[in-house]
Amino acid sequence: FNAKSGSINSKSFDMDLIFEEKLKTFVPNLQMGYSNTTDLPTGMSVKNYTIKAPVKATGYYAQGSLLYDRYIFIGKPSIAIRYETDENTNNYQTKAKINRLSLFFIYYIDKESAKVSLGADFINPDANLIQDTKNGYTTLKDYWDYTLALQTMF
């Protein structure tokens, strides 16, 4: 990357709020976050095309999950849903936005510090972002992303 304008010292403000409380057999978890970053470099070039890098990026997310705090077989099940959005103003001053909706089922395995997750993400870029990436090399579009994750910690 070669930065043609902007600053190497971006400015950012981030805030997260989390609430979790055990209510008998369920443990709800609510999360929200906000991020605002300015003075990002613009006009970066990568090989054969120019990325219209944002000079300002603003985003937020809201997430909720619910853990069933009783054992089913060897662990405890949970479900989580998350919505997030990211809005960028690029070097042509058009706003581009990506929305993401996620739904995951998680199974926490007892005494193993492990979990199994199965979920889906729906990624939805708006028309401005799709137009900004039309260059013969890449074009964004709506898509689904599916995940099966096995995690353990030592």
Side-chain angles (χ1 to χ4, degrees):
F1 291 123
N2 296 318
K4 295 180 181 176
S5 63
S7 171
I8 59 170
N9 297 317
S10 300
K11 297 163 195 72
S12 185
F13 172 79
D14 298 290
M15 181 174 64
D16 292 296
L17 300 170
I18 298 174
F19 171 80
E20 184 174 277
E21 180 75 28
K22 181 173 175 150
L23 303 172
K24 297 183 181 181
T25 59
F26 293 98
V27 181
N29 176 298
L30 302 173
Q31 299 180 27
M32 296 184 334
Y34 172 79
S35 176
N36 186 358
T37 305
T38 59
D39 206 18
L40 294 166
T42 61
M44 296 180 177
S45 62
V46 180
K47 294 187 181 178
N48 297 327
Y49 62 95
T50 299
I51 296 174
K52 298 170 187 169
V55 294
K56 180 181 178 184
T58 303
Y60 65 88
Y61 75 92
Q63 176 176 304
S65 65
L66 189 62
L67 171 74
Y68 181 64
D69 199 18
R70 296 287 185 260
Y71 287 98
I72 296 178
F73 190 49
I74 61 170
K76 299 177 182 181
S78 177
I79 186 170
I81 188 167
R82 178 181 177 109
Y83 173 78
E84 62 185 272
T85 186
D86 180 43
E87 183 174 273
N88 298 313
T89 304
N90 68 21
N91 54 354
Y92 290 105
Q93 299 304 314
T94 59
K95 290 185 178 180
K97 191 180 218 179
I98 291 181
N99 298 307
R100 176 179 174 183
L101 181 64
S102 306
L103 179 63
F104 274 77
F105 300 97
I106 304 117
Y107 187 74
Y108 296 94
I109 301 171
D110 186 41
K111 299 178 184 169
E112 296 296 328
S113 295
K115 66 181 177 181
V116 177
S117 302
L118 176 64
D121 291 302
F122 178 65
I123 313 299
N124 183 12
D126 74 355
N128 287 338
L129 187 57
I130 290 171
Q131 181 62 36
D132 281 350
T133 59
K134 286 185 176 178
N135 55 31
Y137 295 96
T138 181
T139 301
L140 293 178
K141 59 182 178 179
D142 296 350
Y143 66 93
W144 285 92
D145 182 45
Y146 301 99
T147 302
L148 173 61
L150 309 171
Q151 176 184 339
T152 187
M153 293 184 279
F154 297 97

